[in-house]
């Protein structure tokens, strides 16, 4: 398990880069890297040379998160102005603008569940035009971390209507004060790979697990007492959830059994982002301590530390497998230092 | 059988006396001797025989009788025999005196001996044997010089007089002239080859002293051959064997010594050596008996000293320092010059050191050092004493010397290193390392303590990897290896119970159940703790927590481990758990001030003010007010309290500040170099407005704080920045805040970002301010105050842009965008306030929303105006081009006309020319009218500019602005005041909120300042509103005028291109969000 620096783009954005994700490959193009920045733009990059594919404007205030549909056809970006913009990856046409006031928008993720089905159906209809592919991503769901509303907002990707709002139950107390609420501010969200569960992380460090089908809160996962800024499920085990928190730790939970399987320490400052490798054997984290770390889950220890960034690393993302026979693993990291880095993962 | 015959008087008969059958009662013999008037030599023979048989009493009786006055009278002529008897008595008493230990009786014996010799001298002055006897007596009395002269008298008369030769040899020996002594002994032996073994022993001793050990040994052996029971020879040989320093030699030596002891149990030398031997074999009882006997039988100073030394040593090794001290003392007393026998001094020094009498120990060790200036042990001891006496430098000097002299003495290096720890860590580390290498070379096991120290020193020098290696080496094998290997992670912890993860001991029980032995030797606890501390420093907190828990599992009273665990959970913001852990620690020791201080800290964090104060008090009391941390905490508490007061009672504030200052000062008096107290004092001073003084303090603290791992004071950076800010030095303040963020907080502190934003705000760097606030929001999204501030910043930016006299259409467009954002931010906050998501007053936010909307309206007008102006510029260019084109056309037409002129008639030509000119004139007029219009517009703009300037001037200066505002209020003054109140209330709330989260000592000042800033924000914002309204009117009037003008233009000069541009601009307005520039460019291209 190893990371090797491939390419870095200095000044990839005019300001801090705050979000990154991979848009999966389609038959017409390879997977692209999608980044969002404080400079209010969203950019698309073509690996491995990280050539700038396009710059999307249209957001006010900084872009805090980006998400890509598993089909690779559409993507969403969200900014501090609490708008979500859904757009077509290849044409940049705005498909929808979502907002659910007064709730803020923080992290987002598309439901990954029908991704495998999609692969096969897409193969059949790839000769058809845009209309057909459009149909393919109907019916899935976009989950958005709802900030101060202490809930996850679920949007239907066909109608772009708000279909559900999964709220964290209010703490039972004599008088729910204002402060208690701001502590439940939802920052991060993650789908389980089978699409049955949603996890969200809050400012006060609690992680809440929801049953998607019944739109029901299941339980909390405790162990953090500081903001949980990033969550990711293991791609190979739908029970295993990784959380990144300001308390410098990465926790590994059995999300169903409510157990803390392990705690990994090593970062010297906040852990801002976590992503699991497609093979499920490792995770990568980005931290305020300017480093990207690769953790071997077998050893439960950091096996590599990349320190090429000069400021906080806000996002790390593994490239999903697939595309024109591309097998090599890739990891991208983005930072406050305005740069993007690409690593080979093997 | 030897016998003597006493001739019977007046007859031929003789009485035969068998010498071995002498009667027990000497009187019988005496009667015979007297009756028969036996010759005096017979008397002597018989006396000597008694002596030989050990019947001393009889010997004395006969001799005394034989020297009585009657005899003198009777045998007056027989001088030689009389002298011989007297001399024998003298020798006898000399011997008695010599062996007598009691001083007084010794004296008496010597006096008697002297009397006899004197009597003998009176009989014959020149009798050599008398002189020899006198010499011996003097020798015995220790009067060597006089003895020598006595012997010399004899030798001058007869240079081969053996006894005199021997005496003189003895004298020379005592004088230390061993070769002379040897010569004399040799001569005696030549003269009288059959002399007793004693001579050979003398030779042997001389040779020994001269360093000719082999010859000495032969001499002793010869003596022993002559007399197998010669104790001296035996002892001498034994000593030589012992000194040979070989195991076999020592055994042989001891055998000989033993035989000597068996032969004659009162030889002090042999006793001492035997005692010495038994000391080493550890038979202290025997040592005591032997030395006591030795002391009883000898009067010889050095020997006694040796005996005392042996005794002292025995007690010393038994740990009876009092007694051993006394004996060492006695031993030392017997010694004239320290260099004769140094050991007791050393021993005495050691005992005194042990008993804490450093000064006396010092003198003793120094005596040893005089003789052996390079003795390592002594140097080390001296070093220690000097350290104990507080003369660290001198101590170091000695230890360094010791280490230098014996560069293989690990102990010296260890000592030196321990000494250096407090003063020079690098040197200490080097010394420890040398010691370790030496021990390893010597095949010794390196003590855990040394390794621990090496590790800690590496740790302090931030060489963490080395430190870890060393700690692991010190720990060796144990359960911790398993724990550190992460193998324990197989035991999952119930997530709901994981809140207790730092108290969990199940892990170890399970390990025990699984057959691991969970052991932790006591001497490794400290190392393990240090290792855990190191892991913590390396951010491997999980492993560290397991090790701490292991310590607690085995040693539940190890308070520091509790506190570290509490600190870890505090760092992870798990306050509840942290408090529990501290309480565990307090259960072990309720007066442990560190634990109390920590508890107070936690309570403060938990917003439990009253409790926190109590706890800090308790911590302070637990140490009689000597614990500066507790005092400092109390000072901080007062400082917070001063600014916390919701109602802002100035009186209360002043008392709290005063109290805080007093506490800081108290700490500073106790510890003049306490940075935290200095920082606190600086803060109070700054609070009171003494910025210059506080700046000096902060700068000094900052300088002092840089350069240690364990000392990190980001607060002082912030405070310094605050002072710069308060003094209006914004650039420096920004730099300071940024450095602090980067250096200490990994850019993660939203609070500092807020300070930074405020500084940018004051410096009117709106974009920087906004970006900074956005960053802060990104870090702390649930802090709605930041959003509010961001809104205000955008509002302010827009207002200020609109106030600018020269602004491009782009600028105005971005202003509009910014205002839209501000409106959005405020409306979101407004919507949120319905749900009580945050503590803002809805009315106030709505005011902002209204104001921004209002501004937006105005701005849109501005934008239109600006865009129109832009258009007009283009039109003007267009018109100019048209004119140029017309000119060209005219020129061409003229040419054509010339051409035509030739063909047509003069009149016709004239007429056409006039017509053309008329047309041209019209065009020119049209052009002129447009330029005059633009001039007019410029003039109005200048007017505006003037107004703008005055606005700006008014805005300068900090707090004065508020006053200005009240005097200036002519527009909506009533409403404005209301809004101000709202705002202030709001700020108070904000301040409190911030304040609770606050960790920096100065935060409150910040809140105060921040509040100011926000007050200003509000004030400025509202101010702007009048300003803007003021502005909006004339500018819109101007716009109207312009519109009118352009309309007239349109009429007179229809331009197809212009419409096109207009259209483009309209579409810009609609899709402006998407593509602004490209369209514009397209417009130009079309042109």
């Amino acid at each position: 398990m190893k990371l090797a620096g491939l390419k870095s783009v200095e000044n990839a954005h005019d300001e801090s880069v705050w979000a990154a994700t991979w848009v999966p490959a389609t038959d017409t193009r390879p997977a692209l890297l999608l980044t969002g920045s404080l400079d209010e733009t969203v950019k698309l990059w073509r690996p491995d040379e990280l050539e700038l594919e396009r710059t999307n404007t249209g957001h006010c205030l900084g872009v805090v998160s980006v998400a890509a549909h598993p089909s690779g056809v559409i993507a969403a970006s969200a900014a501090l102005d609490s708008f979500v913009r859904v757009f077509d990856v290849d044409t940049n046409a705005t498909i929808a603008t979502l907002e659910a006031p007064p709730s803020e928008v923080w992290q987002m993720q598309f439901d990954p569940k029908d991704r495998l089905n999609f692969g096969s159906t897409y193969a059949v209809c790839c000769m058809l035009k845009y209309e057909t592919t459009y149909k393919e991503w109907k019916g899935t769901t976009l989950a958005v971390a709802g900030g101060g509303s202490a809930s996850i907002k679920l949007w239907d990707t066909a109608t772009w209507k708000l279909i559900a709002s999964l709220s964290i139950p209010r703490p039972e107390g004599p008088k729910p004060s204002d402060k208690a609420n701001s502590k439940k501010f939802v920052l991060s969200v993650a789908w389980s790979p089978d699409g049955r569960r949603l996890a969200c992380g809050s400012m006060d460090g609690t992680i809440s697990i929801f049953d998607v089908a019944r739109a029901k809160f299941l339980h909390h996962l405790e162990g953090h007492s500081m903001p949980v800024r990033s969550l990711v499920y293991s791609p190979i085990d739908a029970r295993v959830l990784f959380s990144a928190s300001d308390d410098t730790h990465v926790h590994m939970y059995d999300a169903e059994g409510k157990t803390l399987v392990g705690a990994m320490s090593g970062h010297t400052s906040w852990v801002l982002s976590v992503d699991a490798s497609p093979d499920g054997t490792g995770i990568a984290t980005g931290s305020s301590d300017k480093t990207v770390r690769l953790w071997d889950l077998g050893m439960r220890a950091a096996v590599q530390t990349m320190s090429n960034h000069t400021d906080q690393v806000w996002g790390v993302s593994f490239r999903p497998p697939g595309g024109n026979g591309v097998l090599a693993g890739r990891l991208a990291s983005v930072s406050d230092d305005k740069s993007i880095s690409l690593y080979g993962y093997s | 059988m030897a016998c003597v015959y006493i001739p019977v008087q007046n007859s031929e008969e003789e009485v035969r006396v068998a010498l071995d059958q002498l009667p027990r009662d000497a009187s019988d013999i005496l009667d015979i001797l007297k009756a028969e008037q036996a010759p005096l030599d017979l008397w002597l023979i018989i006396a000597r025989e008694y002596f030989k048989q050990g019947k001393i009493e009889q010997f004395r009786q006969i001799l005394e009788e034989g020297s009585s006055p009657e005899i003198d009278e009777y045998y007056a002529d027989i001088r030689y025999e009389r002298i011989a008897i007297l001399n024998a008595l003298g020798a006898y008493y000399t011997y008695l005196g010599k062996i007598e230990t009691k001083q007084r009786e010794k004296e008496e014996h010597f006096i008697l001996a002297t009397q006899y010799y004197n009597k003998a001298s009176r009989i014959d002055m020149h009798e050599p044997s008398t002189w020899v006897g006198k010499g011996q007596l003097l020798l015995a009395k220790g009067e060597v010089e006089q003895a020598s002269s006595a012997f010399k008298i004899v030798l001058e008369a007869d240079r081969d007089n053996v006894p005199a030769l021997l005496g003189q040899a003895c004298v020379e020996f005592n004088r230390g002239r061993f070769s002379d002594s040897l010569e004399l002994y040799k001569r005696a032996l030549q003269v009288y080859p059959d002399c007793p073994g004693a001579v050979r022993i003398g030779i042997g001793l001389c040779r020994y002293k001269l360093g000719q050990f082999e010859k000495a040994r032969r001499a002793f052996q010869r003596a022993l051959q002559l007399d197998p029971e010669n104790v001296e020879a035996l002892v001498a040989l034994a000593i030589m064997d012992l000194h040979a320093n070989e195991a076999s030699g020592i055994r042989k030596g001891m055998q000989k010594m033993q035989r000597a002891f068996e032969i004659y149990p009162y030889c002090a030398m042999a006793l001492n050596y035997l005692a010495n031997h038994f000391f080493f074999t550890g038979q202290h009882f025997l040592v005591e008996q032997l030395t006591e006997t030795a002391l009883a039988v000898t009067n010889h100073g050095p020997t006694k000293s040796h005996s005392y030394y042996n005794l002292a040593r025995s007690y010393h090794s038994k740990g009876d320092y009092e007694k051993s001290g006394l004996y060492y003392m006695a031993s030392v007393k017997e010694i004239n010059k320290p260099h004769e026998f140094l050991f007791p001094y050393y021993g005495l020094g050691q005992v005194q050191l042990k008993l804490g009498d450093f000064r006396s120990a010092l003198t003793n060790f120094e005596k040893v050092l005089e003789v052996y200036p390079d003795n390592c042990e002594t140097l080390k001891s001296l070093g220690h004493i000097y350290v104990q006496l507080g003369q660290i430098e001198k101590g170091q000097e000695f230890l360094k010397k010791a280490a230098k002299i014996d560069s293989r003495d690990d102990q010296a290096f260890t000592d030196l290193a321990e000494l250096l720890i407090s003063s020079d860590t690098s040197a200490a580390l080097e010394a420890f390392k040398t010691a370790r290498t030496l021990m390893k070379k010597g095949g010794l096991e390196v003590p855990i303590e040394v390794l621990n120290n090496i590790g800690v020193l590496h740790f302090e020098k931030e060489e963490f990897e080395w430190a870890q290696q060393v700690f692991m080496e010190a720990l060796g094998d144990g359960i911790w290896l398993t724990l550190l290997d992460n193998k324990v992670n197989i035991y999952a912890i119930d997530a709901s119970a994981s809140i207790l993860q730092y108290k969990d001991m199940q892990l170890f029980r399970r390990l025990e159940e699984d057959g691991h032995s969970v052991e932790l030797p006591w001497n490794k606890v400290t190392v393990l703790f240090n290792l855990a501390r190191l892991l913590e420093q390396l951010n491997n907190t999980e492993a560290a927590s397991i090790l701490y828990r292991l310590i607690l599992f085995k040693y539940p009273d190890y308070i520091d481990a509790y506190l570290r665990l509490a600190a870890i959970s505090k760092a992870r913001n798990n306050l509840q758990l942290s408090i529990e852990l501290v309480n565990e620690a307090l259960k072990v020791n309720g007066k442990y001030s560190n634990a109390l201080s920590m508890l107070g800290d936690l309570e403060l964090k938990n917003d439990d003010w009253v409790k926190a104060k109590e706890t800090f008090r308790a911590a302070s009391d637990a140490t009689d007010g000597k614990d500066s941390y507790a005092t400092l905490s109390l000072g901080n508490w007062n400082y917070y309290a001063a600014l916390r007061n919701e109602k802002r009672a100035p009186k209360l504030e002043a008392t709290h500040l005063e109290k805080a200052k007093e506490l800081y000062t108290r700490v500073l008096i106790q510890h003049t170099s306490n940075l935290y107290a200095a920082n606190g004092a600086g803060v109070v001073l700054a609070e009171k407005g003494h910025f210059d003084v506080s700046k000096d303090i902060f700068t000094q603290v900052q300088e002092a704080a840089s350069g240690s791992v364990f000392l990190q004071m980001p607060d002082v950076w912030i405070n310094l920045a605050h002072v710069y800010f308060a003094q209006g030095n914004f650039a420096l303040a920004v730099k300071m805040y940024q450095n602090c963020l980067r250096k200490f907080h990994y850019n993660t502190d939203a609070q500092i970002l807020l300070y930074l934003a405020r500084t940018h705000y004051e410096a009117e760097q709106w974009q920087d301010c906004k970006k900074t606030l956005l960053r802060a929001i990104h870090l702390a999204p649930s802090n709605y105050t930041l959003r509010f501030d961001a809104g205000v910043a955008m509002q302010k930016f827009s207002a200020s842009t609109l106030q600018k006299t020269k602004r491009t259409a782009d600028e105005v467009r971005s202003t509009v965008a910014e205002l839209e954002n501000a409106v959005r931010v405020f409306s979101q906050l407004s919507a949120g306030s319905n749900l009580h998501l945050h503590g803002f007053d809805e009315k106030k936010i709505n005011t902002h929303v209204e104001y921004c909307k209002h501004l937006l309206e105005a701005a849109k007008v501005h934008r239109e105006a600006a865009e129109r102006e832009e258009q007009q510029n283009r039109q003007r260019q267009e018109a100019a081009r048209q004119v140029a084109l017309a000119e060209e056309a005219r020129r061409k037409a003229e040419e054509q006309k010339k051409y035509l002129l030739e063909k047509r008639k003069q009149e016709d030509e004239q007429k056409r020319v006039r017509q053309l000119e008329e047309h041209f004139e019209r065009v020119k007029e049209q052009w002129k009218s447009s330029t005059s219009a633009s001039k007019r517009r410029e003039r109005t703009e200048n007017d505006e500019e003037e107004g703008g300037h005055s606005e700006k001037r008014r805005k300068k200066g900090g707090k004065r602005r508020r006053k200005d505002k009240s005097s200036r209020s002519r527009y909506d003054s009533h409403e404005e005041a209301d809004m101000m109140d709202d705002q202030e209330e709001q700020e108070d709330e904000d301040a409190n909120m911030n304040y609770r989260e606050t960790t920096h000592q100065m935060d409150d000042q910040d809140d105060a300042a921040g509040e100011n800033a926000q007050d200003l924000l509000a004030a400025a914002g509202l101010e702007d509103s009048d300003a803007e309204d003021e502005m909006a009117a004339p500018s819109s009037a101007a716009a109207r005028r312009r519109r009118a003008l352009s309309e007239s233009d349109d009429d007179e000069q229809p331009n197809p291109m212009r419409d096109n541009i207009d259209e483009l601009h309209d579409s810009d307005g609609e899709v402006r969000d998407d593509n602004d520039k490209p369209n514009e460019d397209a417009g130009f291209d079309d042109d």
Side-chain angles (χ1 to χ4, degrees), chain B residues 839-975:
Chain B
F840 289 105
D841 181 45
E842 198 184 340
K843 200 169 121 201
K844 189 188 74 179
I845 292 170
N846 282 335
T847 320
H848 273 281
V849 173
E850 287 312 309
Y851 170 63
C852 282
K853 278 186 180 157
H854 165 74
L855 209 56
L856 190 57
E857 288 305 312
K860 277 180 180 155
V861 176
H862 275 275
R863 185 179 66 187
E864 280 164 27
E867 279 167 2
R868 197 155 288 122
E869 191 181 340
E870 216 173 49
Q871 253 176 40
Q872 250 177 300
N873 277 339
R874 267 180 231 157
Q875 280 168 23
R876 244 176 284 148
Q877 282 169 0
E878 197 55 36
R881 220 169 57 193
Q882 291 288 328
V883 170
L885 279 173
E887 191 86 7
E888 182 73 3
R890 189 177 60 88
R891 208 168 41 79
K892 278 184 183 167
E894 266 175 22
E895 276 172 16
Q896 211 178 11
K897 262 179 258 164
K898 272 181 190 169
Y899 174 71
L900 285 170
L901 199 70
E902 288 168 15
K903 289 187 177 175
R904 295 190 182 182
K905 286 182 177 177
Q906 192 86 18
E907 291 99 325
D908 282 344
E909 281 170 6
Q910 292 268 335
K911 199 181 173 186
R912 295 251 336 223
V913 166
R914 210 177 303 128
Q915 273 175 343
L916 275 169
E917 272 179 347
E918 269 170 23
H919 174 75
F920 176 57
E921 212 56 38
R922 230 177 17 249
V923 173
K924 227 159 74 176
E925 255 174 40
Q926 184 188 324
W927 185 59
K928 262 182 196 158
S929 76
S930 75
T931 48
S932 69
S934 72
K935 265 179 202 156
R936 227 174 19 242
R937 193 167 60 244
E938 263 162 37
R939 203 167 50 246
T940 56
E941 267 175 7
N942 282 342
D943 291 343
E944 284 165 30
E945 200 167 8
E946 268 167 34
H949 274 313
S950 67
E951 289 279 326
K952 247 184 201 157
R953 226 169 291 134
R954 191 160 34 76
K955 232 173 283 157
K956 276 176 190 157
K959 288 182 180 172
R960 250 168 292 143
R961 228 189 290 179
R962 230 193 281 195
K963 281 179 209 152
D964 281 356
K965 183 200 62 184
S966 56
S967 65
R968 236 179 47 79
S969 56
R970 58 183 156 159
Y971 177 82
D972 271 358
S973 70
H974 178 67
E975 218 179 273

Side-chain angles (χ1 to χ4, degrees), chain A residues 15-16 18 38 40 57-58 60-62 64 80-83 99 102-104 106 148-149 178-179 181-182 185 187 203 221-226 229 247-249 251 253 257-270 288-290 299-301 311-312 314 336, chain B residues 485-486 489-496 498-499 501-502 537-543 571-575 742 745-750 770-771 774-775 777-782 784 787 794 817-818 821 824-825 828 831-832 835-839 993 996-997 1073-1075:
Chain A
E15 281 290 345
S16 307
W18 280 349
L38 171 61
E40 306 181 356
T57 54
C60 302
L61 312 181
V64 289
L80 282 174
D81 62 4
S82 304
F83 282 117
E99 106 177 281
S103 126
E104 291 89 355
W106 222 250
S149 65
D178 295 338
K179 286 197 83 179
N181 239 324
S182 75
F185 192 103
L187 282 167
M203 278 302 277
L221 300 176
E222 288 173 45
H224 290 298
S225 297
M226 287 168 92
R229 290 181 194 265
D247 64 12
T248 74
H249 284 59
H251 281 183
Y253 290 100
K258 287 207 285 179
T259 51
L260 175 63
V261 186
M264 288 172 270
S265 58
H267 278 298
T268 49
S269 187
W270 302 356
S288 290
D289 68 11
K290 308 172 190 172
M299 290 159 67
R300 300 269 172 81
D311 211 335
Q312 319 187 51
W314 276 105
D336 252 0
Chain B
D485 240 13
N486 273 318
N489 276 336
I490 34 170
Y491 304 114
I493 306 157
D494 191 344
S496 58
S498 69
I499 191 115
Q501 54 186 315
Y502 291 133
Q537 193 75 24
L538 291 172
N539 293 295
N540 197 347
T541 31
E542 286 311 306
R572 295 191 62 181
N573 205 25
N574 195 342
L575 296 184
R742 203 178 46 236
H745 298 285
Y746 294 103
N747 291 338
T748 55
D749 195 302
K770 180 186 141 194
K771 286 274 157 63
L774 289 180
R775 276 178 213 280
I777 294 171
H778 192 217
L779 290 170
S782 62
Y784 288 94
R787 287 173 197 265
M794 288 188 275
E818 210 72 306
N821 283 337
R824 176 147 179 92
V825 166
Q828 268 196 332
L835 300 169
H836 299 289
L837 283 176
H838 40 74
M993 271 166 53
R996 272 167 219 144
E997 291 162 9
D1073 282 354
D1074 296 346
N1075 286 350

Side-chain angles (χ1 to χ4, degrees), chain B residues 16 100 130 136 358 374 406 431 548 601 625 628 696 714 737 742 796 826 852 887 922 942 964 1002 1027 1048 1057:
Chain B
R16 181 171 166 273
E100 181 57 62
T130 314
Q136 298 283 8
F358 296 123
D374 290 346
D406 190 352
Y548 287 135
D601 234 25
S628 23
D696 283 350
Y737 285 129
R742 203 178 46 236
K796 181 73 186 161
F826 284 128
C852 282
E887 191 86 7
R922 230 177 17 249
N942 282 342
D964 281 356
M1002 253 295 255
S1048 68
M1057 290 309 281

